[in-house]
Structures are given as structure tokens and as C-alpha cells.
Amino acid sequence: MFMINVSAPGKLMLFGEHAVVYGKPCIVTAVDHRMSVSINYNEDDIIILNAPEVNIKDLKVNLKDLKKEHPKGAKFVLKAVDNFFDKYNVNKGLKINTKSEFSSLFGFGSSSAVTVSTIKALSILFNIAMTKKEIFDLSYKTVLDIQGSGSGFDVAAATWGGTLYYVKGGKIMEELEIDNIPLIVGYTGIKADTVTLMNSVKKQMEDEPERISKIYNDMEKIADESKKYFYKKDWKMIGKFMNDNQNLLRQIKVSTPELERLIGASIKAGAYGAKLSGAGGGDCMIALGINDNINKIEKSIESMGGKIIQVNSNAEGVRCD
Ligand code: MEV
């Protein structure tokens, strides 16, 4: 049996982060930086995992120990295997290698992409047909088993790819038929902790439910309204929505001076709009610019200490390579 090679894309949140955790819609695009998983059977009842990007080298896990605690970098792959074995009542030793085209520091969703790739690779190896929705459901369960919370938008982007209008748990999942979005991505150099940021927003929701609900309703309007402007390629309007969304994110205190510096620099250089993307607290910001001003915006972000990450949006979802 040959190695099965599968890859899934990373993601960038365009509109609706945090609000999506509370049942509001978001818009997410898959990016062409991929996470790959190669799987083959192993003769012994052992899983051997190599994941160099998270410092896992020749980790050996006996099948009977699959449900025990594992090193941080191995958790998502091993939980995905465990959930797959339980669901389909199979059990076999495996050799698994992972490879990433992007750093887990960027907030591109490496955990979700590796989980989706693992589930898809197992379905091919064990010859079990799974629909995209089934891959999503089992991957989302895996992410929740480990993280305890999250809307699953990153799992949806890794599974379906493209640009999605998404509601938590896959309740609504609309694929937007649009072309590449002219995004500029700036990395702050700071790793954000999503769970800490989600908890801080949760506390604000408990303390001031009316204020936060109003912000989430406004974010919902942006996600809903923006759809038609994506179709029209009206980047000016999309940029305006990005600025509006960023204002709301400031009000829930998830932006930081570093993010603001890069956002301000891009607006000053002529971007139609800019905002943080994801949980906030660090990671990446995105700006929208076209043709002649892209270079200027990138230079401006770099002059403020940001690192430009070249991405294409609307990347293909999980696939066999
Ligand atoms: C994190 O990238 C985005 C959040 O909305 C969390 C989630 O949707 O799971 C803050």
C-alpha cells in the first residue's frame, strides 16, 4: 500500500470573528498555504508520528494508549485517529507524517487543517466513503474534544475551501462563488492565544450582555451585507465594511497597539480598509488594496514592523495530492 497524501488549506477570517462563537454568521476565506498529512499502515499495533513543524519526531503510541494524554503537537492528529477508529470501528497501526507550508504562529488554523487532512487521509486508507459534511463533523468534534470551544469556521474552510458564509457548527454553510480577493496580510510577530481572548470576550458578555449583543448584531449586519459586494467586486465597499468591523473589534478590546500600527499604516498608504483577522491579540491583520497601491501598502506595513505574508484567497479545500 502506497502512502496516502492529503492536504488542506489554512484560512483568514474576513468578517465576524468572535460574534460567530455566539451564533452569528462570519465570512472566511481559505488561503493557499497548506498543511499536508501522509498516512500508511504500520505492521505493529503502533502509531508512529513525525510532525517536524511542531517538534514531534518518531513519537510512538501504542494503539491501546491512544486515549491517553499526548504531547501538545501530536494531540490533534492522534485525537482525529481515535475518533475515526471509534466511529468506523477500525483499529490498525499507522505511520503518519505531517508537513506545513505555514507557521503555526500566524493563526492560519494549522490545528484544524491537520485534523481535516488526517480524517480525509484515513477515509481513503480504510476505503470508507465520507462526504465533506461527514469530514467536517468528525473534524469539528475532534477540535472541540481538544479545545472545548470554537465555532468551527476554520474546520469548514479547511474542508470546503473557497470563501464561505458560515454559522457555527455548519448550521449554515454557503459557498460564495467569487474570485481571488485582493488581500494583503501583515503578521505582527506576536502569537495570540485564542482561548484567552475568547474568555475575555465571554466575561464582557456576562458583565455587559446588552452592549456586547449590540456589537454582535452589528457584526452580523456586516457579514450579511458584504456578500453582495463580494459578488460585485466592490472592494471599496468591502474595505469600508472591514473598517467598520475593526471598530467593533476595538470595542470588544481584542485589538492591540501592534495590530493598530499595521492597520493604520495600510490605511495611510491607501488601503480601502483593514482589520485584524481571527481572535486578535496579535497574529495577522488584513488589508484590501488593488494593483498599483498594493506595493505601497506592503512597504508601509513593513515599515511599522509587520511581516508581509503572500497569500491567495479562495484556495481549494481538502484534497488528495
Ligand atoms: C479565532 O480565529 C476566531 C474566533 O471567532 C473563534 C472561533 O470562531 O472559533 C475568535
Side-chain angles (χ1 to χ4, degrees), residues 6-232:
V6 167
S7 70
K11 53 76 193 164
L12 281 168
M13 181 69 104
L14 301 179
F15 294 120
E17 46 272 270
H18 288 289
V20 67
V21 179
Y22 295 81
K24 301 297 185 189
C26 73
I27 296 197
V28 56
T29 192
V31 295
D32 62 345
H33 291 225
R34 304 184 74 85
M35 185 88 207
S36 305
V37 171
S38 310
I39 293 194
N40 202 351
Y41 292 126
N42 186 29
E43 288 307 308
D44 306 316
D45 283 351
I46 289 175
I47 294 176
I48 304 173
L49 175 62
N50 277 289
E53 62 283 348
V54 281
N55 297 321
I56 299 288
K57 194 170 181 307
D58 276 329
L59 177 73
K60 294 187 177 65
V61 178
N62 203 298
L63 289 182
K64 66 177 175 22
D65 297 329
L66 204 46
K67 290 196 191 300
K68 292 191 178 157
E69 268 298 301
H70 303 294
K72 196 164 169 253
K75 277 186 181 178
F76 288 89
V77 170
L78 294 176
K79 191 72 205 165
V81 172
D82 184 35
N83 280 338
F84 184 90
F85 282 2
D86 281 355
K87 182 165 171 69
Y88 294 106
N89 205 14
V90 288
N91 202 10
K92 196 135 182 28
L94 300 167
K95 282 186 197 134
I96 308 177
N97 300 324
T98 72
K99 201 171 101 204
S100 180
E101 287 177 358
F102 60 90
S103 163
S104 61
L105 301 178
F106 294 167
F108 277 10
S110 51
S111 308
S112 303
V114 83
T115 303
V116 169
S117 295
T118 304
I119 299 280
K120 170 82 177 168
L122 289 167
S123 78
I124 299 168
L125 187 69
F126 286 89
N127 207 7
I128 293 169
M130 287 178 86
T131 62
K132 285 203 169 161
K133 183 66 169 63
E134 286 167 336
I135 292 172
F136 168 83
D137 285 342
L138 200 54
S139 301
Y140 185 40
K141 173 184 161 31
T142 302
V143 169
L144 286 182
D145 285 345
I146 294 167
Q147 281 178 188
S149 58
S151 66
F153 80 105
D154 39 7
V155 180
T159 306
W160 279 278
T163 298
L164 308 172
Y165 174 91
Y166 173 87
V167 175
K168 191 176 180 179
K171 216 163 131 196
I172 302 177
M173 224 296 305
E174 206 180 311
E175 295 178 75
L176 306 186
E177 303 288 327
I178 54 171
D179 293 343
N180 194 30
I181 304 160
L183 284 179
I184 297 150
V185 182
Y187 175 53
T188 56
I190 295 164
K191 173 73 193 142
D193 182 23
T194 303
V195 176
T196 307
L197 286 147
M198 280 167 67
N199 284 341
S200 115
V201 175
K202 189 171 165 215
K203 174 89 178 50
Q204 293 176 62
M205 184 59 133
E206 283 160 11
D207 294 346
E208 307 163 88
E210 268 174 35
R211 185 177 78 87
I212 304 296
S213 299
K214 159 120 188 27
I215 292 173
Y216 286 165
N217 288 339
D218 290 347
M219 287 189 187
E220 177 176 28
K221 279 186 206 135
I222 291 174
D224 285 344
E225 273 281 292
S226 69
K227 272 198 275 181
K228 65 172 177 279
Y229 294 99
F230 276 113
Y231 282 118
K232 285 195 216 164

